Amino acid sequence: MQTTVHDKVASADFDNALLVLMPITTLNLADGLWQQGDWSAQELLPYLLYQKRNAGFGEPFFDGFLFLGLLSCTGNQLFEAVDPAKAATWEDFEWYLNKTLRPQGDLCALHEAVLQARKLSRRPQLQARLVLTIPFPSRQTFGGPESQKAAIDRYMDRMAELYRPFEQLDTLRLCGLYWLHEDASQTELIDYAGRKARERGLAFLWIPYYR
């Protein structure tokens, strides 16, 4: 699979296709907070192996998984918010990382699903390739370009710290980072985030929007 990296093309090394996974978002009317559902191994398994009509499983299906975060549990927007009151904070960034990378989080569920898929398909080398989201550090929360770049550095460092236990697993492999904000006018931040991703040996994925 080929993915555009600003003005370059880089391979994220997906044999089949990249599946975008988003948490189920519901509003808890009791306290006004957004609740994000966690993925389970049972929910992820049909994306790793084709599910047959007789409820059995067959050939491998998706081998790439993008864990996409759009809204945090507070309802704040991880892309550039139109409403400044909805601009994501560092706590929202932490929420995405913890939801995805914490013990018993989404990556743990994917790890368990890969183990099940290996057993069902008799493919001991089956592996899920991962892409994680880089949320947008908005000016409303983080200030000017240098503060935004510092937020990107801090986020990537924290992500690497939380991902470290997964590096020992042969079921998962982190391949790339996805720049969430699509506005192509943010060239300075896009170039910076892309360079920092590639310095870590990761592909930089982005879907540009040109006005």
Side-chain angles (χ1 to χ4, degrees), residues 4-183:
T4 301
V5 182
H6 199 28
D7 59 349
K8 299 179 181 179
V9 173
S11 172
D13 194 23
F14 303 118
D15 295 328
N16 295 330
L18 176 65
L19 175 68
V20 178
L21 296 172
M22 293 188 293
I24 299 171
T25 306
T26 59
L27 178 63
N28 185 334
L29 297 178
D31 55 20
L33 294 178
W34 293 89
Q35 295 180 331
Q36 304 279 6
D38 293 330
W39 286 95
S40 69
Q42 290 71 29
E43 290 168 331
L44 291 166
L45 183 59
Y47 296 112
L48 286 160
L49 300 177
Y50 285 101
Q51 188 166 15
K52 301 176 181 178
R53 291 187 177 182
N54 64 2
F57 291 93
E59 298 296 310
F61 196 10
F62 291 98
D63 67 344
F65 295 84
L66 164 59
F67 284 88
L68 185 67
L70 297 177
L71 300 177
S72 78
C73 62
T74 64
N76 287 343
Q77 299 168 351
L78 296 174
F79 49 92
E80 187 173 25
V82 176
D83 179 0
K86 293 293 185 182
T89 65
W90 175 255
E91 287 71 25
D92 297 310
F93 287 16
E94 280 272 14
W95 168 86
Y96 168 82
L97 290 173
N98 288 329
K99 176 187 178 350
T100 308
L101 297 165
R102 75 179 189 276
Q104 309 308 314
D106 290 334
L107 289 198
C108 285
L110 184 57
H111 163 67
E112 293 297 330
V114 171
L115 292 177
Q116 293 179 29
R118 285 177 172 181
K119 184 176 180 180
L120 290 167
S121 66
R122 298 181 181 179
R123 288 178 168 83
Q125 303 305 316
L126 192 146
Q127 185 183 64
R129 296 165 175 84
L130 308 172
V131 177
L132 300 180
T133 297
I134 307 174
F136 183 73
S138 67
R139 281 179 173 270
Q140 294 95 325
T141 302
F142 295 95
E146 294 309 311
S147 296
Q148 290 172 297
K149 292 175 185 177
I152 292 170
D153 288 337
R154 182 184 177 191
Y155 177 85
M156 288 189 180
D157 288 343
R158 180 61 174 154
M159 178 195 66
E161 177 186 350
L162 292 175
Y163 185 75
R164 198 162 293 123
F166 295 96
E167 293 177 345
Q168 311 304 318
L169 304 176
D170 66 350
T171 52
L172 307 175
R173 181 159 65 88
L174 182 60
C175 292
L177 300 178
Y178 175 71
W179 178 254
L180 181 59
H181 190 54
E182 297 178 355
D183 187 354

